[in-house]
Amino acid sequence: MKFPATAQRVADIPEDFQPAPLGARADLIMQIREVLPEADFSNSEWGVFEGDGFSIEFQMGDEDFCQSIMLLVRGGGTPAPLIGALLDRLKVRGIDCQRSEFFDVEAARASFGSWQRYRDQILGGKDGK
């Protein structure tokens, strides 16, 4: 979303904050593909990018003008730098739902790594055996 520039932390977002629309779906898809040319938007409401050991799904809703984009990241690997590049290209800020703070590449890399280690421990190893 286009969060207020004055908000340093998620807690700083005013309760009555109403974000401006991100833009037209076709324009957003074009900008995403500038960073991730292989992203599949055959369903323009729900795009998918398959990375090296991870996937990113782009939930964009069904409106012509998107208010927000939700990224659903699954798997392993290192998706944080790509997400940072996407946010920079779109000129928006994201919230890292695992940390409940604004997205930061290094913090996201660390929190995603912690989650991966937890997942691997629960599954008994990277391959689930």
Side-chain angles (χ1 to χ4, degrees):
M1 290 184 180
K2 294 182 180 178
F3 292 107
T6 57
Q8 297 298 310
R9 305 188 66 207
V10 170
D12 297 336
I13 300 171
E15 287 187 29
D16 61 349
F17 172 69
Q18 294 294 317
L22 292 179
R25 174 187 316 285
D27 292 339
L28 293 170
I29 290 171
M30 181 186 68
Q31 291 175 57
I32 290 168
R33 283 192 168 146
E34 288 174 6
V35 177
L36 302 171
E38 302 86 10
D40 176 6
F41 281 93
S42 52
N43 176 348
S44 66
E45 297 174 17
W46 194 281
V48 178
F49 171 77
E50 297 291 337
D52 186 19
F54 65 90
S55 67
I56 302 174
E57 296 178 15
F58 301 85
Q59 182 181 8
M60 301 178 77
D62 60 0
E63 301 293 323
D64 288 335
F65 272 77
C66 298
Q67 293 293 324
S68 65
I69 300 174
M70 172 70 79
L71 303 185
L72 304 166
V73 182
R74 294 186 172 88
T78 55
L82 287 177
I83 294 168
L86 282 168
L87 293 172
D88 288 346
R89 176 62 189 98
L90 296 171
K91 296 178 176 60
V92 297
R93 295 164 69 189
I95 295 176
D96 180 339
C97 294
Q98 186 165 326
R99 296 176 40 253
S100 299
E101 284 299 340
F102 287 121
F103 182 86
D104 171 80
V105 171
E106 291 309 315
R109 189 186 315 249
S111 68
F112 195 56
S114 294
W115 176 84
Q116 289 173 357
R117 286 186 295 280
Y118 171 76
R119 175 204 59 199
D120 294 346
Q121 177 185 353
I122 296 299
L123 294 177
K126 286 186 178 183
D127 60 1
K129 294 180 184 177

